[in-house]
Amino acid sequence: MNLSRRSFLKWSATLGAMGTGLMSLTACSQNASLTGGEGASAGEQIIPTASTQDCGGRCLIKAHVKDGVITRISTRSAYEEDEPGANMKACLRGRSYRKHLYHPDRLKYPMKRVGKRGEGKFEQISWEEAIDTIATETRRIFDQYGPESRYCNVGTGDTGGVIYRMGLGGRFLSATGGYLPLYNSVSMGNTGTATPYVYGVAATASSLDSLKDTKLVILWGHNTTETIFGASNYYFRQMKNRGCKFICVDPRNSNTAVAFADEWIPLLPTTDNALMDAMAHVIVSENLHDQAFLDQYVQGFDEEHMPEGVPAHESLVSYLFGKKDGVEKTPEWAEVICKVPAETIRRIAREYATTKPAALIQGWGPQRHSCGERTALGATMLASITGNVGVLGGWAGGYIGLSRKGCIGLPDVPNPYPGAIPTLSWVDAIECPEKVTPAEGLLGVDKLNSPIKMLLNLAGDFIANQNPDINRTIRVLEDESLVEFIVVSDLFMTPSARYADILLPGNTFFERYNIGATWNNGDYFILSQKIVDNYYESRSEYDWLAEVADKLGAKDVFTDGKTEEEWVRWIVDETRAKYPETLSWEELEKVGISKFHYDGPRVAFQDQIEDPVNNPFPTPSGKIELFSKTLYDMHNPEIPAIPVYVPAWEGPEDELTEKYPLQLIGWKTKARDNSTFYNNPWLQQAMVQEVWINPMDAKPRNIVTGDRVKVFNDRGTTMLQARVTSRVIPGVIAAPTGSWFTPDGKGGCTNGNLNVLTTLRKTALSHGNTQHTSLVEISKL
């Protein structure tokens, strides 16, 4: 590649300085407020900022800058006071951001594909050529196929920012005529869709500080220690010190279970509802349920509280005691299915029902299954029958999200196209759009009149790494008669970047302005400041999309006359107008974080419980609907009206187990954020890509720890190292998600990526993600 003398000298000196300590780089952005601080060395300045990666931590990052180079990253110390609702200490990933920023493999220049799509062969081009090509193809495809032929895929590389790159892609396509958008989260779409059928809304969590006096917490597939979900660990440590008991229900003895659990209860994946149903049976049969709560606030618990027009024996109680199917959902019944001993089920059911208050908190992993919606609803059922909804220290179950104070977002550019598809339907929308129907989740239109022909992939590794069934996906992408134009903007040559026609070097959050927005950690936001200049010719997607929009006559619509920094300033000003306590821009440059007024813990549905007359639940009945008439009227056996156990496809009762007897699950790790940071050298040392297998499954296969093994099914094969451990239940193998797909040319991956094994088949209700439902076999190489 051609390299200008200026760029060569600039970045050679910088990268050389990483090892020698000789610091030389262009000056920091003139707009950055460079302030010294406690702990700063001579000539060093400390600038507060925030990552905008797809992470629930949303922590305050301190960039130590000397001579225009970030020399190290620090975070809040253990001696800095944490105020209620705002804990912002960086985790292992946060402390390694410098290795991400200065990684020698970062993309440096715009490039165009010169080989077959997917070969990874590119040549350097100018930004002018890249922008001209994108503008020409954008116009051609729109004119030839219409707006629904253009699609912007999931990009989880920076969804923690108010201005996020996938959103910018959609904004650009809306400004230039419209596009086919997606809906439903890959992470928690099944829960987000199912929960409103019970409570009327998706956001059902209380704030973490509401758990201060909770006596018992059941973490159901919730691995906070590795995922850093909000400030969970911070609060859980405090609760543990006050004597709160923790029980972890999980097929794997996760790091969270090791750190917090008084008891680990392993169960087979997809059988969660059997365990939940048996717990409910114990609670009701032993009269431990809160009948007064149920009488006043709940529809569908028993036959006396059912909606009109429903036949007999459809209530929860009738189901639990076998009034319709003749099968009582006893602990003995559940033990056969989920492998949790009957006496253990009885004990934890009694403990959950009699401990006041108690919180059953379900993670997002259990709902990324073929039975995901039912599992999500099971948690709401247990919370309701024990009266743990709407009370301080309880937990309503369902989606882990809550409405909080927050900063203002960008005003929308309306999309002229009315349709939308589920997140995981994009491959079908390319290859066989006639299959994407309203029955399969198509919204707003009756059919797709065109397949997807143009694909934007901005800050995302979803198209050829995180997407299920990679082998099918890449076959579709490699066929240039299908998708005609793919634009990728990213930091590295990721597996997805290899499928670009135009490949552009994106920049990091250190090189642009944004707002780091909290999830459910607390009431605050952080100014994400531009601290260093762009790496080589990397650019913000906002800037080059504005130039493409300009060539298409839509720049004013896309930008509204503002630069990216000016939009961030606008967000701060508008937020300050709504919440006067918001810090000014100048103050944010110095301290980074703006905290909203803290008004105490937030308890989901507290208003509905304390004043039900004036605050009914936003459901058809105005109550918690353990029985949903809306679901009942769908007449779909995979979507029952109450959260009951239904054997999952590719679950332990599927006939396919005769060929593939093991269930495969993946877990999020402390070393990666989806597939982001996979190539970070510090984090690679912290996480080995290995598959866990129980000794009972390893012995007959002659597998010992350290063996190279292959995991396979009809969709593909992946190879990685084995770890024989009792920390995973027999019948299940588990491995970290997010390793980079490295094909062997025969449908296999040599690097342990799990998505050669996962399925594009979707859930019945939300048409959502089922990536943890995969039957496989494993053998020694």
Side-chain angles (χ1 to χ4, degrees):
M1 294 182 181
N2 295 324
L3 178 63
S4 70
R5 175 177 172 79
R6 178 177 179 275
S7 292
F8 176 78
L9 293 175
K10 167 184 169 181
W11 288 105
S12 295
T14 302
L15 295 174
M18 298 304 100
T20 65
L22 300 175
M23 309 299 178
S24 176
L25 188 60
T26 55
C28 294
S29 165
Q30 294 179 356
N31 293 323
S33 176
L34 302 181
T35 60
E38 185 178 353
S41 61
E44 183 183 67
Q45 295 164 309
I46 301 176
I47 306 174
T49 191
S51 161
T52 53
Q53 308 281 0
D54 180 34
C55 169
R58 201 58 56 241
C59 301
L60 184 69
I61 300 297
K62 298 180 180 180
H64 295 243
V65 181
K66 187 173 183 179
D67 297 331
V69 175
I70 297 177
T71 59
R72 69 185 179 98
I73 298 293
S74 66
T75 185
R76 305 186 86 208
S77 73
Y79 302 102
E80 293 179 270
E81 182 180 357
D82 287 304
E83 298 180 11
N87 175 257
M88 299 149 289
K89 290 183 175 68
C91 69
L92 182 63
R93 296 188 294 266
R95 295 167 190 266
S96 72
Y97 283 142
R98 183 172 165 275
K99 288 292 184 181
H100 200 58
L101 169 67
Y102 293 128
H103 198 296
D105 291 344
R106 274 190 63 182
L107 298 175
K108 300 175 177 64
Y109 309 102
M111 295 184 286
K112 67 179 180 182
R113 175 173 59 86
V114 294
K116 294 180 179 180
R117 189 182 285 161
E119 281 187 314
K121 295 180 179 179
F122 296 90
E123 68 177 18
Q124 181 183 337
I125 58 176
S126 66
W127 269 107
E128 291 75 15
E129 181 179 348
I131 288 167
D132 284 343
T133 302
I134 296 169
T136 299
E137 288 299 292
T138 299
R139 180 183 290 115
R140 177 187 69 80
I141 290 172
F142 179 83
D143 291 344
Q144 186 172 349
Y145 301 107
E148 63 206 290
S149 67
R150 307 190 303 177
Y151 184 76
C152 186
N153 211 340
V154 172
T156 58
D158 74 334
T159 51
V162 173
I163 301 175
Y164 60 102
R165 304 179 204 207
M166 182 182 74
L168 291 176
R171 184 182 184 89
F172 162 75
L173 293 173
S174 291
T176 57
Y179 72 108
L180 177 64
L182 60 85
Y183 71 91
N184 231 0
S185 166
V186 176
S187 297
M188 49 73 195
N190 295 325
T191 295
T193 299
T195 304
Y197 289 95
V198 178
Y199 295 122
V201 295
T204 62
S206 300
S207 58
L208 290 165
D209 53 334
S210 72
L211 299 175
K212 177 182 177 181
D213 296 318
T214 300
K215 305 293 193 301
L216 170 68
V217 170
I218 300 177
L219 297 177
W220 202 295
H222 196 26
N223 184 20
T224 61
T225 298
E226 294 188 84
T227 58
I228 319 298
F229 203 105
S232 300
N233 296 332
Y234 168 73
Y235 289 105
F236 289 172
R237 282 194 297 270
Q238 292 182 339
M239 294 160 61
K240 188 78 174 172
N241 291 338
R242 286 192 292 267
C244 179
K245 180 176 181 179
F246 284 82
I247 296 173
C248 283
V249 179
D250 201 305
R252 190 177 67 93
N253 190 3
S254 68
N255 285 5
T256 300
V258 171
F260 294 111
D262 297 273
E263 182 176 10
W264 167 48
I265 298 177
L267 82 169
L268 289 179
T270 76
T271 67
D272 305 71
N273 283 107
L275 175 55
M276 292 169 170
D277 293 345
M279 289 176 64
H281 184 279
V282 172
I283 292 169
V284 176
S285 64
E286 298 185 5
N287 200 31
L288 302 177
H289 57 292
D290 191 332
Q291 188 65 54
F293 181 93
L294 291 162
D295 289 342
Q296 185 171 3
Y297 300 109
V298 177
Q299 170 186 277
F301 172 71
D302 51 31
E303 295 297 312
E304 289 71 38
H305 297 86
M306 292 290 287
E308 294 183 5
V310 177
H313 306 316
E314 295 290 346
S315 67
L316 177 65
V317 168
S318 293
Y319 163 74
L320 293 177
F321 291 91
K323 299 297 183 182
K324 185 175 180 180
D325 62 5
V327 178
E328 283 202 52
K329 310 312 179 290
T330 64
E332 286 74 18
W333 164 83
E335 179 179 355
V336 175
I337 298 168
C338 68
K339 306 308 178 186
V340 179
E343 285 310 307
T344 300
I345 298 174
R346 285 191 173 86
R347 176 169 48 79
I348 63 171
R350 292 164 181 160
E351 194 165 4
Y352 176 61
T354 58
T355 304
K356 303 292 183 179
L360 191 159
I361 307 176
Q362 189 180 93
W364 289 356
Q367 58 89 60
R368 288 197 284 269
H369 277 286
S370 57
C371 56
E373 297 105 345
R374 300 190 298 275
T375 301
L377 295 181
T380 69
M381 177 264 291
L382 287 172
S384 297
I385 67 173
T386 55
N388 275 302
V389 179
V391 297
L392 187 67
W395 201 265
Y399 172 49
I400 306 175
L402 73 163
S403 299
R404 309 200 66 117
K405 295 177 183 176
C407 51
I408 303 299
L410 288 185
D412 290 333
V413 173
N415 181 8
Y417 181 71
I421 61 173
T423 302
L424 294 181
S425 293
W426 67 276
V427 176
D428 283 339
I430 294 171
E431 188 177 35
C432 43
E434 67 279 359
K435 292 184 179 180
V436 185
T437 64
E440 295 299 320
L442 178 64
L443 298 180
V445 293
D446 294 330
K447 65 177 182 177
L448 296 178
N449 293 314
S450 170
I452 294 172
K453 290 293 184 179
M454 175 181 175
L455 184 62
L456 290 182
N457 191 70
L458 311 180
D461 197 15
F462 206 76
I463 64 174
N465 198 76
Q466 297 301 96
N467 203 60
D469 198 350
I470 291 178
N471 284 320
R472 181 195 166 193
T473 302
I474 63 175
R475 284 195 298 269
V476 170
L477 295 175
E478 287 171 352
D479 187 343
E480 296 177 39
S481 70
L482 296 175
V483 181
E484 296 179 6
F485 188 55
I486 301 176
V487 179
V488 174
S489 177
D490 215 316
L491 303 181
F492 300 101
M493 183 66 75
T494 65
S496 294
R498 295 173 61 87
Y499 289 85
D501 298 311
I502 296 292
L503 178 57
L504 304 174
N507 60 8
T508 69
F509 64 87
F510 290 117
E511 298 157 298
R512 66 199 295 173
Y513 281 98
N514 206 337
I515 296 291
T518 180
W519 285 6
N520 65 340
N521 190 348
D523 293 320
Y524 68 88
F525 69 86
I526 305 175
L527 176 63
S528 185
Q529 301 195 61
K530 178 177 172 63
I531 295 175
V532 296
D533 285 341
N534 285 330
Y535 183 80
Y536 284 81
E537 294 185 17
S538 64
R539 297 183 67 186
S540 162
E541 289 78 4
Y542 182 91
D543 291 343
W544 62 259
L545 283 169
E547 292 187 23
V548 179
D550 189 28
K551 287 186 174 292
L552 298 174
K555 182 177 181 180
D556 289 344
V557 178
F558 178 74
T559 67
D560 197 21
K562 296 181 181 66
T563 65
E564 191 167 36
E565 179 187 344
E566 287 170 341
W567 271 120
V568 177
R569 289 177 179 267
W570 179 89
I571 290 168
V572 172
D573 290 342
E574 292 295 308
T575 303
R576 197 176 188 196
K578 183 176 181 180
Y579 301 112
E581 68 264 33
T582 301
L583 297 185
S584 68
W585 182 269
E586 291 73 23
E587 291 170 320
L588 281 167
E589 285 184 313
K590 295 178 181 179
V591 301
I593 187 166
S594 183
K595 301 172 186 176
F596 297 106
H597 174 71
Y598 177 71
D599 52 8
R602 302 191 186 177
V603 178
F605 308 120
Q606 187 172 23
D607 290 343
Q608 283 80 4
I609 299 305
E610 293 182 350
D611 185 4
V613 174
N614 294 311
N615 299 285
F617 284 87
T619 59
S621 66
K623 295 187 175 185
I624 299 169
E625 296 195 352
L626 289 188
F627 177 96
S628 169
K629 182 68 161 52
T630 305
L631 294 180
Y632 180 80
D633 289 341
M634 292 182 184
H635 304 291
N636 187 326
E638 284 196 61
I639 315 172
I642 54 177
V644 305
Y645 174 69
V646 178
W649 46 261
E650 291 209 36
E653 297 182 54
D654 195 316
E655 292 180 357
L656 189 61
T657 55
E658 295 182 8
K659 183 178 183 181
Y660 298 116
L662 299 174
Q663 292 181 272
L664 170 69
I665 59 172
W667 80 82
K668 303 286 186 181
T669 83
K670 57 184 175 292
R672 296 198 281 273
D673 188 358
N674 296 314
S675 65
T676 304
F677 305 120
Y678 171 74
N679 60 341
N680 186 307
W682 282 5
L683 298 179
Q684 285 183 330
Q685 294 179 52
M687 184 74 248
V688 176
Q689 189 65 19
E690 59 185 6
V691 59
W692 289 12
I693 181 171
N694 187 276
M696 293 177 63
D697 296 317
K699 186 175 180 180
R701 293 168 175 83
N702 196 31
I703 294 172
V704 298
T705 295
D707 280 348
R708 184 83 172 160
V709 297
K710 68 174 182 178
V711 183
F712 58 96
N713 60 19
D714 291 339
R715 290 181 286 268
T717 301
T718 196
M719 288 154 272
L720 67 172
Q721 181 176 302
R723 180 184 177 190
V724 179
T725 174
S726 58
R727 288 181 63 183
V728 65
I729 188 173
V732 176
I733 61 174
T737 62
S739 66
W740 282 7
F741 173 55
T742 308
D744 64 359
K746 298 178 289 186
C749 173
T750 61
N751 197 34
N753 186 290
L754 303 185
N755 284 322
V756 295
L757 305 166
T758 56
T759 178
L760 273 167
R761 186 174 174 181
K762 295 173 279 293
T763 59
L765 179 61
S766 66
H767 311 285
N769 186 2
T770 65
Q771 278 175 282
H772 290 327
T773 303
S774 298
L775 288 175
V776 299
E777 179 58 284
I778 185 172
S779 65
K780 187 174 179 177
L781 283 174

